[in-house]
Amino acid sequence: MVLSSSSRVTTLPHRAIRLSRGLATPSTLPIKDCTSITPPYPRLLKTLDQVRDVLPKGSKLTLAEKILYSHLRNPEESLGGNGGNGKIRGERYLKLRPDRVAMQDASAQMALLQFMTCRLPSCAVPASIHCDHLIQAQTGAESDLTRSIEANKEVFDFLESAAQKYGIEFWKPGSGIIHQIVLENYAAPGLLMLGTDSHTPNAGGLGMLAIGVGGADAVDALTDTPWELKAPLITGVKLTGQLQGWATPKDLILHLAGKLTVRGGTGRIIEYFGPGVPAQSCTGLATIANMGAEVGATTSTFPYSDNMRQYLHATGRGPVAQAADEAAKQGFLSADEGAEYDEVIEINLSELEPHLNGPFTPDLATPLSSFSNFLNTNKYPTTLSSALIGSCTNSSYEDMSRVASIAEQAKAAGLKSKVPFLVTPGSELIRATVEKDGLQDTLESVGATVLANACGPCIGQWKRDEHKGEDNAILTSFNRNFKARNDGNLKTMNFLASPEIVTAMAFSGDLNFNPTTDSISTPNGPFKFQPPSGDRLPPTGYSAGDLSYAPSPSPTPKPETEIAISPESTRLEILEPFGTNFADGKGELPQMTCLMRVKGKCTTDHISAAGAWLKYKGHLSNISENTLMTAVNDENNQINKAIDIDGSEDTIPKTMQKYKKRNEPWMLVVDDNYGEGSAREHAALQPRFYGGAMIVARSFARIHETNLKKQGILPLWFIDKSDYSKISSHDKVSTQGLADIMAGTSTSDIVVLRVEKPSGEVVEVKTRHTLSADQIEWLRFGSALNYIGAKARETSSA
């Protein structure tokens, strides 16, 4: 049976439901005040008309371009020149006006500390703070939440007081994960939103552009400073066919990650199109967009669909859906017919099978039918040690109803989970609804432990005492699986899969088990799972749950609110502005010493670890103690070891501290895709805090490269990647040609590095920069915030 986008039938009679185009979408939620969450469609359409006047006549635009360009502050400035015929994608820097900012509690601390230095009375755009990262999973939802609130009270109080002062919506601990809450409350077709988390693109499931950034980028939007983005290339993914059996939207993005790798989406927006798109649920599309971050994509988006409309109505946002319907009639929420993509990938959903990705990287994709052979060939563990579902990637009602259908089958066969089975609801709305509809009882009856509405194990907030220091394998429905990310154990192998596959395998405990073909022995004979089924939206509507977690919409700023930060605090620290390396009109960086050469994969988790270190997110001095502590030194092949000029060996952060104490500028040489992973701006702040001035890479991940620029560190790309090995620790490195670039007398993107070896030998290495005119000023002033402050002072004194 083929399911169309306009109907839905399950095989579980007590939950069967049809969602037909002509029928009202079930909802028990009141209609929200949508004033601040409805995109300004009239203004966006007017700007898009101006864009078409600037572009060559008859230009065909993709959906991503329509949304981006309609948010331009000045279309002529960003797109004009060369008679409108100049190349835009991958070349031009766009100056944009985002509609909204969302911040999670770990990254919001530094974002707000930076915003406070601007001394503004309120935020220029609607913003929200979500307390989800600081809640540690240990025993269960209630006890974990109570303990975490007590342990993090100082930080939560700081965030709440800042929210009151500046008029920011504050979602309390227990409300849910930022990305699920944004999808349920703020996301809207055609919107442009920035979020201080790399999985912000999750909101793209509602046909918008949601982009993960560092806190300094968020401050641009909060202060009404033009937010700058190099116009991305557009990768089109054409979907045909229909998902069958056990295949899910999660399997689509796991499969695509295997095709593109962790670098394949860098500098690109992924835009899905084709007959297979409208049939996908809104939350399924969000799962796909969420994991676009794993291939380095700027964000992902989809044309407006009936399923998006139904989801908006079901979550109390009917007015947004009505406004979007009108915008869609004017052609705004889909690509122009004939629009061209820089690359097109076609995927037939009818041929897609479940995938499992890992270990240690999200792009190592293995079809389920080959997974047993993959494990045995690589001599990986085949005994499952834990199964975890939920997280921001897969915690929708549809996900939970489908895994409940598997649990019901297992329960009827007398089975219980053979391993710890942990379930993370995405939000209080989801938790309350699955409780109301009996899904939570079903999961708990087969051995599941329901955790707090928070990120938990997905980001390393998991107090796991089992298998410490041992090789072991876990299955999760999460989005990221770097070494030590989940439980702090470098030997834990996390294989990413759909929540349906994770759940089914929990009842076997054997990773060789294929739930689509294999049976499990029971006292009553062999038992085989039937494909999962479930409801895209709750049949009797969503239940709001505990409303005390949620803020009042559009709160009025209270400028009299005091934000107290104790000088003795180990959690929060007032930021001091960074100095500049270009004092007295200097145009070249001062001579730097190469501190080390970093080998291989180096994610933001390697540069600034999460887990237990999250408690120091608001205290730059303390969190900097973890800088690059899991990075590999290419010259001695050791983790967290660096050698100082005098030959003494120490940890990497301790060595950096010695350079800082001597006031000796230093630089790093790093490998491909440096800084992949989360939007963690601490990975740029920490090296800057210790005196780092330049990082030269084979290639950078997008968000991290921008974060380095924001904090006044010069990122350079090797023109010849083999030159990576020409610069070693203790070499003295100077820039040549940077002065002309800084002065604006050269349009070249080449910066030559003069490298003087301890032996006296001198070599030259060619690199290229990607600095825009504004980014040159960030570098000149020592940081983007310094530049913003200088411009504000200049304006006020004029």
Side-chain angles (χ1 to χ4, degrees), residues 116-135:
M116 287 163 56
T117 67
C118 300
R119 294 179 170 81
L120 294 175
S122 62
C123 300
V125 297
S128 55
I129 297 170
H130 305 264
C131 297
D132 61 356
H133 272 55
L134 298 179
I135 300 166

Side-chain angles (χ1 to χ4, degrees), residues 220-261:
D220 285 349
L222 295 174
T223 58
D224 197 30
T225 301
W227 179 65
E228 196 170 71
L229 175 72
K230 179 176 276 191
L233 300 175
I234 314 293
T235 292
V237 178
K238 182 179 181 180
L239 301 183
T240 62
Q242 294 280 357
L243 293 171
Q244 305 292 324
W246 288 76
T248 69
K250 179 65 166 282
D251 298 301
L252 167 60
I253 189 60
L254 292 174
H255 170 70
L256 186 61
K259 281 181 169 290
L260 291 175
T261 79

Side-chain angles (χ1 to χ4, degrees), residues 696 716-720 722-727 733-734 736 750-755 763-768:
V696 189
L716 295 175
W717 300 57
F718 287 111
I719 291 177
D720 182 346
S722 66
D723 286 345
Y724 162 86
S725 59
K726 289 184 178 179
I727 308 176
V733 183
S734 305
Q736 296 178 346
I750 302 299
V751 176
V752 176
L753 301 182
R754 183 182 186 276
V755 182
V763 298
E764 289 191 348
V765 175
K766 283 189 175 182
T767 67
R768 65 179 177 89

Side-chain angles (χ1 to χ4, degrees), residues 279-608:
Q280 308 310 311
S281 68
C282 176
T283 53
L285 297 179
T287 293
I288 296 168
N290 179 293
M291 276 199 70
E294 269 46 75
V295 299
T298 301
T299 192
S300 302
T301 195
F302 310 83
Y304 183 53
S305 69
D306 184 55
N307 283 324
M308 294 181 190
R309 178 184 301 107
Q310 291 180 6
Y311 185 77
L312 286 168
H313 281 287
T315 50
R317 292 174 288 170
V320 175
Q322 292 163 5
D325 288 343
E326 292 304 311
K329 289 176 184 176
Q330 299 179 64
F332 181 52
L333 300 179
S334 59
D336 288 336
E337 187 174 350
E340 294 185 357
Y341 299 93
D342 297 284
E343 176 187 16
V344 174
I345 299 169
E346 185 166 342
I347 299 175
N348 185 345
L349 299 178
S350 300
E351 298 173 355
L352 188 68
E353 69 170 297
H355 278 62
L356 297 97
N357 287 28
F360 306 135
T361 185
D363 60 348
L364 183 55
T366 305
L368 176 60
S369 60
S370 306
F371 189 59
S372 178
N373 182 61
F374 168 78
L375 294 175
N376 293 312
T377 299
N378 289 282
K379 298 182 179 179
Y380 290 144
T382 57
T383 299
L384 180 63
S385 64
S386 286
L388 302 93
I389 64 170
S391 87
C392 65
T393 320
N394 281 109
S395 57
S396 67
Y397 185 87
E398 180 179 25
D399 291 323
M400 295 299 171
S401 68
R402 284 172 62 87
V403 298
S405 78
I406 295 170
E408 286 174 343
Q409 294 181 53
K411 183 178 180 181
L415 297 175
K416 282 202 168 189
S417 175
K418 291 190 175 181
V419 297
F421 180 29
L422 307 181
V423 179
T424 306
S427 67
E428 173 63 6
L429 182 79
I430 296 298
R431 186 214 60 78
T433 306
V434 299
E435 180 183 54
K436 168 182 70 85
D437 291 353
L439 309 186
Q440 181 171 330
D441 286 344
T442 297
L443 292 171
E444 289 178 334
S445 71
V446 294
T449 298
V450 177
L451 302 176
N453 309 324
C455 300
C458 184
I459 61 157
Q461 287 284 37
W462 182 19
K463 191 177 185 301
R464 189 190 192 203
D465 296 323
E466 305 85 12
H467 303 286
K468 286 187 175 180
E470 299 174 0
D471 286 330
N472 74 105
I474 64 175
L475 286 179
T476 78
S477 67
F478 303 162
N479 45 37
R480 203 163 275 164
N481 58 352
F482 303 139
K483 283 187 177 182
R485 177 176 174 86
N486 304 115
D487 61 0
N489 180 4
L490 287 165
K491 295 184 176 182
T492 294
M493 302 179 192
N494 177 3
F495 295 96
L496 308 173
S498 70
E500 292 90 336
I501 292 297
V502 175
T503 300
M505 291 183 113
F507 294 104
S508 168
D510 183 356
L511 292 176
N512 289 308
F513 173 68
N514 182 341
T516 71
T517 58
D518 299 344
S519 298
I520 299 175
S521 297
T522 75
N524 297 318
F527 163 75
K528 183 178 180 294
F529 284 109
Q530 296 302 306
S533 58
D535 298 300
R536 291 178 168 179
L537 297 171
T540 58
Y542 285 106
S543 174
D546 187 345
L547 294 174
S548 68
Y549 292 133
S552 299
S554 305
T556 301
K558 297 180 179 179
E560 70 278 7
T561 303
E562 287 193 20
I563 304 176
I565 300 176
S566 169
E568 288 76 39
S569 174
T570 61
R571 301 289 301 273
L572 298 164
E573 178 183 52
I574 294 292
L575 284 179
E576 295 295 332
F578 291 130
T580 176
N581 287 309
F582 299 93
D584 304 320
K586 295 175 183 176
E588 303 290 348
L589 282 171
Q591 187 181 67
M592 299 154 283
T593 303
C594 178
L595 189 139
M596 65 178 288
R597 194 166 61 227
V598 177
K599 178 181 179 180
K601 182 187 280 283
C602 191
T603 71
T604 48
D605 280 43
H606 291 84
I607 307 168
S608 176

Side-chain angles (χ1 to χ4, degrees), residues 551-755:
S552 299
S554 305
T556 301
K558 297 180 179 179
E560 70 278 7
T561 303
E562 287 193 20
I563 304 176
I565 300 176
S566 169
E568 288 76 39
S569 174
T570 61
R571 301 289 301 273
L572 298 164
E573 178 183 52
I574 294 292
L575 284 179
E576 295 295 332
F578 291 130
T580 176
N581 287 309
F582 299 93
D584 304 320
K586 295 175 183 176
E588 303 290 348
L589 282 171
Q591 187 181 67
M592 299 154 283
T593 303
C594 178
L595 189 139
M596 65 178 288
R597 194 166 61 227
V598 177
K599 178 181 179 180
K601 182 187 280 283
C602 191
T603 71
T604 48
D605 280 43
H606 291 84
I607 307 168
S608 176
W613 289 93
L614 286 172
K615 62 178 174 285
Y616 297 126
K617 282 283 191 176
H619 199 291
L620 186 55
S621 299
N622 283 346
I623 199 169
S624 294
E625 296 275 356
N626 76 13
T627 308
L628 286 166
M629 63 184 293
T630 56
V632 178
N633 189 328
D634 186 54
E635 295 172 76
N636 58 24
N637 213 35
Q638 295 187 66
I639 295 174
N640 196 24
K641 292 294 181 183
I643 300 174
D644 200 359
I645 296 285
D646 61 6
S648 61
E649 185 179 88
D650 211 330
T651 66
I652 295 172
K654 291 295 183 186
T655 304
M656 290 178 175
Q657 290 169 17
K658 293 174 184 177
Y659 275 83
K660 180 178 181 178
K661 188 175 182 180
R662 296 195 299 262
N663 198 29
E664 181 177 354
W666 53 267
M667 55 83 67
L668 291 174
V669 175
V670 298
D671 218 320
D672 262 320
N673 208 30
Y674 181 74
E676 72 168 278
S678 75
R680 206 166 294 164
E681 71 176 332
H682 291 75
L685 281 162
Q686 292 169 215
R688 182 72 165 97
F689 176 71
Y690 279 149
M694 180 174 75
I695 296 178
V696 189
R698 281 177 162 160
S699 64
F700 288 98
R702 176 194 65 85
I703 299 176
H704 186 62
E705 184 189 18
T706 301
N707 285 344
L708 290 171
K709 294 174 182 177
K710 286 278 185 180
Q711 303 306 333
I713 293 178
L714 174 63
L716 295 175
W717 300 57
F718 287 111
I719 291 177
D720 182 346
K721 290 188 178 185
S722 66
D723 286 345
Y724 162 86
S725 59
K726 289 184 178 179
I727 308 176
S728 305
S729 59
H730 308 157
D731 289 352
K732 300 296 184 182
V733 183
S734 305
T735 58
Q736 296 178 346
L738 183 61
D740 292 337
I741 294 166
M742 297 286 287
T745 57
S746 171
T747 58
S748 172
D749 63 353
I750 302 299
V751 176
V752 176
L753 301 182
R754 183 182 186 276
V755 182

